[in-house]
Amino acid sequence: MIWCINPNCKKPENPGGRTHCIDCHLELVPILRNRYRMIGFLGAGSFGRTYLAKDIDRLNQRCVVKQLAPNVQGTWAINKAVELFQQEARQLQQLGQHPQIPSLDAYFEQDKYLYLVQQFVDGDNLLTLFQNQGIWQESQVKQVLLELLPVLKFVHEQKIIHRDIKPENIMRRRSDGVLVLIDFGVSKQLSGTVMSRLGTQIGTLGYAPLEQMQGGEAYAASDLFSLGATAFHLLTGVHPYGLWTEHGYSWTANWQKHLKNPIDKGLALILSKLLAKGIQQRYQSAEEVLRDFQRQSTPNFIHTLKRFDFDKVTVDVRGNITNRQQRQAQFFRENLGSGAILDIVAIPGGRFVMGSPNTEAERRDNETPQRTVNISPFFMGKYPVTQAQYQALMGNNPSHFKGFFKSKQLPVEQVTWDDAVEFCRKLSQKTGKTYRLPSEAEWEYACRAGTTTPFYFGKTITPDLVNYDGNYPYGAAPKGLYRKQTTDVGSFGPNPFGLYDMHGNVWEWCSDRWHDNYYGAPTDGSSWETGGGSEYRVLRGGSWRNNAVYCRGADLCYRSADSRGRDRGFRVAVASVSSSS
């Protein structure tokens, strides 16, 4: 039997051998793998058809099914279409770990057709939203850029280029308002080349840059052009296709004449560089764009931010380093006297999903429900506050380990929440800036630094990467060293934002009150100061004496604000004050 795609059909089951339904004459499709039942036709292209389906094994949860049915002639062209389809499946499997990219659920062959099944995104694409509301405000467009740039950064780090970014391929998920990047059907590996012999257009006219349309080559900078063209369309209401057909790429040099209202100079400069006709004049990475946004929100009290280079590593499920990338971050310094220097790192603003997913091993109920949180740019201590820094400002050192080790670069511990707040008060008084403890949301955002795995290194950690009790590993990692003490700050590698010791060493006080879960928690990154237990405050990050599971980015605990412990410290934060541009 085969099935009619019309969900309201009176005779949905049809005998084999037919191509169209007996009752409503719509197309007939099989129930794939006795599991996926097509309920709607979404579209067709050069490579095949796309259907909306229900997954019977998952209580009829909706999903998207793509069928490879290439409209090409010749053995080479058909084999190439199969190769591209398989490549799309591999890329979805590779990218699906990111919460803003649909995941791959299945890939299989049935009745001589290839199929892939992917996550269904319930929402509206940006073109539909634009058609409903008209020209977007500058703040809305800026938020789109800030929300999508980290996604593109992740995609490009996987050596993948999307090649068809446009409003139709960006969805606003209905459940939480998060933007999701869809349709990797024409994406390619940087190491591969899509041959033009297929005769298929790669990308969309008006959104695709010159190098992509002329030679079929695409780079990270090519995706950034398309993102800029998307922002231009939303901001002006002018479709880039019409300008392209009339003026080629010359319109990108004077795109601002199409603005209905003037926009912030800083945003205009960023869009101009995104839309540069020549690839060499364009941004080369999403990280570069994010850095420019960060520079525009540099606090007025900072005249020149310095930079430092560092290596970001990624590990496999056993904790072995599989990738190493050089990164750069911006920071400024505070001189506390007595030779004590405090480095403060710039943290870019953005949006992230806070808490742990149901699939994360050994997660706890207080890490739920997951929710999307918007974070404004801010600055955060590069390391936990050290004993030397605390001594210089406060005139004392309460730490347990000071009597055992000579190093003053050990983190200060045995500080109460009240002690940490007092340190921030005195630091503010000394510098003229408003220092504070980070909110719990800011802390997790800064810890994750764009990653979605339990640790910013990957799915696990080892004592070579983090100071914790190595007798109790996480996931598939082996047992390892237990140091039974704190270690000098910066002894282990940093996260992608350039922050050190966010996992292990000492728990870090946050400003928030303790709550049993995240129901009703703020979504703007602010501290949760209402409800909960007013006498208890949140701690994040785990410590030298904890099992690895407590060092996860989503893990949290609480203690009384006046309690002390040799595993408890803190780091400072300061708000970013926008400068005029």
Side-chain angles (χ1 to χ4, degrees):
M1 302 295 285
I2 48 181
W3 201 270
C4 178
I5 64 171
N6 179 4
N8 299 316
C9 181
K10 296 177 181 177
K11 298 179 181 179
E13 293 186 52
N14 283 253
R18 297 184 59 85
T19 60
H20 289 77
C21 179
I22 295 172
D23 179 69
C24 59
H25 309 294
L26 292 178
E27 182 184 10
L28 293 172
V29 291
I31 298 181
L32 301 174
R33 282 190 163 182
N34 294 317
R35 174 174 178 176
Y36 303 107
R37 186 176 72 190
M38 263 62 84
I39 59 172
F41 179 70
L42 297 178
S46 301
F47 290 117
R49 304 179 186 91
T50 304
Y51 300 93
L52 179 64
K54 286 185 177 180
D55 185 344
I56 298 171
D57 286 1
R58 293 185 176 176
L59 301 176
N60 287 324
Q61 177 179 298
R62 286 184 292 178
C63 56
V64 174
V65 174
K66 288 189 175 183
Q67 177 196 61
L68 178 64
N71 183 22
V72 292
Q73 300 294 322
T75 302
W76 180 91
I78 292 174
N79 289 340
K80 191 64 183 180
V82 170
E83 178 187 331
L84 291 172
F85 196 71
Q86 291 172 336
Q87 175 179 285
E88 179 179 1
R90 285 193 296 270
Q91 290 173 343
L92 285 172
Q93 185 177 40
Q94 183 178 350
L95 297 173
Q97 59 182 297
H98 196 285
Q100 291 170 262
I101 297 174
S103 60
L104 177 72
D105 291 340
Y107 177 79
F108 57 91
E109 181 178 354
Q110 182 170 318
D111 300 327
K112 298 183 179 180
Y113 285 102
L114 287 174
Y115 295 90
L116 65 82
V117 183
Q118 65 185 105
Q119 177 187 10
F120 171 70
V121 180
D122 184 15
D124 296 310
N125 65 50
L126 294 195
L127 182 62
T128 299
L129 294 174
F130 170 79
Q131 291 169 342
N132 290 336
Q133 77 171 58
I135 293 174
W136 285 31
Q137 299 295 318
E138 173 188 327
S139 59
Q140 292 175 292
V141 173
K142 185 176 180 180
Q143 185 59 44
V144 166
L145 293 174
L146 288 173
E147 198 170 333
L148 282 178
L149 284 165
V151 184
L152 278 183
K153 179 171 172 288
F154 170 80
V155 171
H156 295 159
E157 285 175 349
Q158 312 307 308
K159 308 300 183 186
I160 293 172
I161 308 299
H162 187 283
R163 299 202 307 171
D164 198 22
I165 292 173
K166 56 185 177 181
E168 295 97 311
N169 286 339
I170 303 167
M171 301 286 292
R172 176 75 74 186
R173 196 160 53 204
R174 209 178 311 280
S175 60
D176 56 11
V178 170
L179 293 182
V180 179
L181 186 59
I182 65 169
D183 199 354
F184 284 78
V186 298
S187 61
K188 76 166 190 178
Q189 297 284 349
L190 285 175
S191 59
T193 301
V194 176
M195 311 294 283
S196 59
R197 287 169 58 185
L198 274 177
T200 58
Q201 178 182 303
I202 304 300
T204 301
L205 295 176
Y207 295 104
L210 180 65
E211 68 275 4
Q212 193 170 314
M213 297 307 299
Q214 283 188 340
E217 288 300 313
Y219 310 89
S222 309
D223 277 352
L224 294 174
F225 178 94
S226 300
L227 182 61
T230 295
F232 167 83
H233 188 177
L234 298 174
L235 198 58
T236 65
V238 179
H239 198 303
Y241 173 74
L243 295 175
W244 180 85
T245 55
E246 186 176 350
H247 304 289
Y249 287 91
S250 63
W251 69 272
T252 62
N254 58 0
W255 66 270
Q256 293 188 61
K257 77 175 187 180
H258 299 283
L259 291 169
K260 304 299 186 290
N261 299 295
I263 63 171
D264 174 77
K265 181 182 177 182
L267 178 60
L269 289 172
I270 287 174
L271 287 177
S272 291
K273 194 168 181 180
L274 284 171
L275 290 170
K277 176 181 176 181
I279 191 170
Q280 297 302 324
Q281 286 70 50
R282 210 178 302 147
Y283 286 108
Q284 299 301 299
S285 71
E287 190 169 17
E288 284 184 38
V289 193
L290 287 168
R291 279 204 299 264
D292 270 3
F293 271 119
Q294 179 60 41
R295 289 190 192 102
Q296 291 176 16
S297 59
T298 298
N300 290 325
F301 51 70
I302 300 173
H303 300 290
T304 303
L305 287 175
K306 300 178 181 180
R307 298 177 183 274
F308 68 95
D309 297 315
F310 58 92
D311 284 342
K312 184 213 86 166
V313 303
T314 305
V315 301
D316 61 18
V317 294
R318 296 278 296 170
N320 301 307
I321 295 176
T322 58
N323 184 265
R324 189 182 298 272
Q325 294 180 337
Q326 190 173 59
R327 294 291 185 88
Q328 191 176 76
Q330 294 179 299
F331 75 107
F332 67 93
R333 282 185 162 164
E334 300 283 20
N335 188 343
L336 305 185
S338 303
I341 301 295
L342 186 65
D343 285 352
I344 309 294
V345 176
I347 308 299
R351 175 182 281 193
F352 83 114
V353 178
M354 185 173 177
S356 61
N358 294 330
T359 54
E360 187 161 307
E362 300 184 66
R363 67 194 291 268
R364 296 190 286 174
D365 289 343
N366 56 28
E367 301 165 21
T368 60
Q370 282 189 292
R371 72 192 194 287
T372 300
V373 181
N374 293 300
I375 303 291
S376 298
F378 69 107
F379 289 78
M380 195 172 193
K382 186 177 182 180
Y383 312 106
V385 171
T386 66
Q387 295 182 21
Q389 292 162 350
Y390 195 88
Q391 176 80 45
L393 190 64
M394 304 295 285
N396 66 85
N397 181 4
S399 303
H400 168 78
F401 290 111
K402 70 176 184 296
F404 300 92
F405 310 100
K406 295 181 179 179
S407 174
K408 289 297 182 71
Q409 297 310 307
L410 291 170
V412 68
E413 18 85 16
Q414 292 207 134
V415 287
T416 67
W417 183 86
D418 297 313
D419 290 338
V421 170
E422 179 63 11
F423 180 94
C424 292
R425 188 190 69 79
K426 286 194 172 184
L427 183 60
S428 301
Q429 187 178 46
K430 180 179 180 66
T431 63
K433 310 176 184 72
T434 306
Y435 279 95
R436 55 180 172 78
L437 293 177
S439 71
E440 189 189 351
E442 286 175 329
W443 192 97
E444 185 172 327
Y445 174 79
C447 176
R448 291 186 179 279
T451 65
T452 57
T453 45
F455 308 92
Y456 51 74
F457 296 108
K459 293 183 178 180
T460 193
I461 50 174
T462 69
D464 292 332
L465 301 170
V466 172
N467 183 15
Y468 66 98
D469 186 347
N471 293 309
Y472 301 96
Y474 182 84
K479 289 184 177 182
L481 179 65
Y482 177 31
R483 296 178 175 86
K484 302 182 180 180
Q485 64 185 61
T486 58
T487 48
D488 281 358
V489 299
S491 296
F492 306 96
N495 73 359
F497 282 164
L499 300 175
Y500 291 75
D501 296 295
M502 296 294 283
H503 297 311
N505 215 5
V506 289
W507 285 99
E508 298 180 11
W509 287 110
C510 293
S511 57
D512 304 55
R513 291 183 180 184
W514 168 256
H515 296 76
D516 291 335
N517 52 55
Y518 290 136
Y519 287 103
T523 58
D524 60 357
S526 61
S527 180
W528 198 0
E529 291 296 329
T530 59
S534 59
E535 71 274 28
Y536 297 112
R537 295 288 169 168
V538 173
L539 290 143
R540 301 297 298 258
S543 78
W544 59 269
R545 72 193 312 173
N546 291 117
N547 303 356
V549 65
Y550 296 110
C551 299
R552 291 175 303 117
D555 192 86
L556 65 154
C557 74
Y558 66 95
R559 292 291 183 270
S560 171
D562 60 359
S563 66
R564 299 181 185 276
R566 63 187 67 173
D567 59 351
R568 269 165 257 166
F570 68 101
R571 76 178 72 211
V572 299
V574 61
S576 176
V577 182
S578 296
S579 58
S580 59
S581 52

